[in-house]
Amino acid sequence: MDTSAVTVRNNPGRHRYELLDGGTVIGTADWVPFEGADGPQRIFHHTSVDEAYGGQGLGSRLAREALDDTAAAGLPVVPVCPYIKKWLRTHQDHPAVRVPVQPEHLAAVPRQEQQ
């Protein structure tokens, strides 16, 4: 499948980064803004890519671009999402500032995402 038209954009109104094929959303990295003791943070709590686009590295691309943009905005990352947590673990050189997940972060995540 040709993925050259696939792009990533932040959709702050929906609190997510979107993976787009043309104008169609084919994946998301969902986040919640959080006001931490040291200032604003971004909690990433769910990442998904449409199964039809699986196995092409698009989840990794979505994670990288979302985390690049978050780092450029000066926001620390709270990796609640297992995919984002694993991605950061395997990309130790990424400039994102990581904040350990605390109970108050989990309380800020929408309920359906904790199941």
Side-chain angles (χ1 to χ4, degrees), residues 9 42 106:
R9 74 171 176 210
R42 188 168 284 165
L106 295 175

Side-chain angles (χ1 to χ4, degrees), residues 7-102:
T7 59
V8 176
R9 74 171 176 210
N10 187 10
N11 184 339
R14 298 197 68 185
H15 293 130
R16 68 186 194 183
Y17 285 86
E18 297 173 336
L19 188 64
L20 300 157
D21 186 358
T24 304
V25 176
I26 59 168
T28 63
D30 301 307
W31 54 269
V32 175
F34 184 82
E35 193 59 41
D38 296 327
Q41 302 170 351
R42 188 168 284 165
I43 303 171
F44 281 89
H45 61 90
H46 182 73
T47 303
S48 64
V49 174
D50 187 302
E51 287 182 23
Y53 291 83
Q56 300 178 64
L58 293 174
S60 183
R61 179 173 167 192
L62 174 59
R64 177 177 300 282
E65 291 192 33
L67 295 169
D68 284 351
D69 188 63
T70 299
L75 295 170
V77 171
V78 183
V80 170
C81 168
Y83 186 84
I84 296 293
K85 187 180 297 187
K86 179 181 176 186
W87 194 93
L88 284 167
R89 201 170 36 246
T90 60
H91 296 85
Q92 290 290 322
D93 59 333
H94 192 274
V97 174
R98 298 143 172 94
V99 174
V101 177
Q102 301 295 321

